[in-house]
Amino acid sequence: MATLPNPLPTLAHDPSGRTLGLRLPPGRLIDTTDAGTWHEPLLWCAQQPASAGSWAALGGPAARAGLLPVLVEVSGSHGGPEEWELAPQLASYPGDHDAEEVLAEHWEECEPGDVTGGDSADWPGLAPAPSLTVDPAVAAARLADAFCDGSRPRFEEPRLALVPARRSADVPAAVGWCGPLDHDDDVARLCAVLRSWEDRFHIRVVALGFAVLTVSVAAPPVTLADAEALAAEHYAFCPDNFADRTLREYAKDLVGERAWTFWWD
């Protein structure tokens, strides 16, 4: 996957990050993959749980150094990123894929009759872009703080991590995340969708677990019709989210919603 030069090796000799213009808490570099040690670090991960305000304090300086923040879950049966069986060798480059083609392909594969109420349904196309209502960086920091202060209890022990990536949507591919492996064996294809959502809905990748992804949303849909169009994209992206819900039932929760969470079984 084509990437910018990786700043993380600098932290091996300068754990404080001062060379990169950062003031980092104690942390560790992770280069463990399902195929052994990767040739360079994939991410830096703090050793202590993240606290409210840490995302906002570190996010800007880290981005200027070529690193993007993401919260990672380290508790539970799957442990932290070093135990997730990361597979960067499987990830292509998100920019090589067309988001709508990826979604249309998965839409057909997932046989959407159950969620549309019919035997079959053609791919409806991409949802329209709503108006931006909050700064995307502010929306991301607010969601990160909600994870850190326990008001959003999805993660028991979130840690702040830094990933060498061009844009937030590319973070899963940059680390070789395999959470959606049973749905798509190249996470970069799904990152192409995240790029499209970044452009239209101003999402940011805020949190990753073993098979869970949460994004902040700075421009959510404001009408049920637009939310239904978006729900079709969510279904193609992550059908496991739907359980027994129809697109319309799912869409009701998307109106004005500033955080989207996806999990793959």
Side-chain angles (χ1 to χ4, degrees):
M1 184 179 75
T3 60
L4 295 171
N6 187 348
L8 289 179
T10 302
L11 300 181
H13 307 289
D14 175 26
S16 71
R18 291 181 181 176
T19 304
L20 298 176
L22 306 176
R23 298 180 63 182
L24 297 178
R28 65 188 188 281
L29 296 170
I30 295 176
D31 58 7
T32 306
T33 76
D34 67 339
T37 301
W38 196 240
H39 65 274
E40 61 182 2
L42 295 169
L43 68 155
W44 171 91
C45 184
Q47 293 179 349
Q48 300 298 323
S51 59
S54 57
W55 178 288
L58 191 55
R64 290 190 288 272
L67 298 167
L68 296 182
V70 64
L71 296 177
V72 295
E73 174 64 289
V74 301
S75 63
S77 59
H78 295 292
E82 69 276 11
E83 301 172 78
W84 288 355
E85 298 182 345
L86 301 175
Q89 74 279 7
L90 298 180
S92 58
Y93 178 56
D96 289 340
H97 306 283
D98 179 83
E100 185 163 15
E101 289 180 2
V102 172
L103 289 170
E105 177 184 324
H106 281 306
W107 175 265
E108 296 297 333
E109 290 174 350
C110 293
E111 300 180 354
D114 288 343
V115 294
T116 60
D119 294 332
S120 63
D122 294 332
W123 165 243
L126 297 180
S131 298
L132 182 64
T133 56
V134 67
D135 183 282
V138 172
R142 287 174 179 170
L143 180 57
D145 285 351
F147 275 107
C148 295
D149 66 18
S151 58
R152 191 173 186 91
R154 183 84 188 197
F155 287 5
E156 294 181 10
E157 192 177 336
R159 302 277 180 89
L160 187 64
L162 297 176
V163 176
R166 294 174 182 270
R167 49 194 292 181
S168 181
D170 293 356
V171 163
V175 301
W177 186 59
C178 288
L181 186 62
D182 289 342
H183 183 55
D184 197 314
D185 59 10
D186 182 359
V187 72
R189 284 164 42 86
L190 298 184
C191 286
V193 177
L194 292 176
R195 281 186 170 203
S196 179
W197 291 347
E198 198 173 63
D199 294 337
R200 286 179 290 142
F201 303 100
H202 299 274
I203 67 101
R204 297 293 185 268
V205 174
V206 171
L208 284 177
F210 174 73
V212 178
L213 164 69
T214 298
V215 304
S216 61
V217 187
V222 296
T223 69
L224 182 58
D226 287 350
E228 281 193 65
L230 175 60
E233 296 188 38
H234 280 212
Y235 180 72
F237 185 81
C238 181
D240 291 330
N241 259 28
F242 280 72
D244 297 324
R245 289 188 291 176
T246 65
L247 289 181
R248 178 172 285 270
E249 291 168 341
Y250 183 95
K252 292 177 182 178
D253 293 335
L254 294 178
V255 177
E257 177 56 45
R258 296 197 176 276
W260 303 338
T261 293
F262 305 93
W263 68 276
W264 289 267
D265 193 357

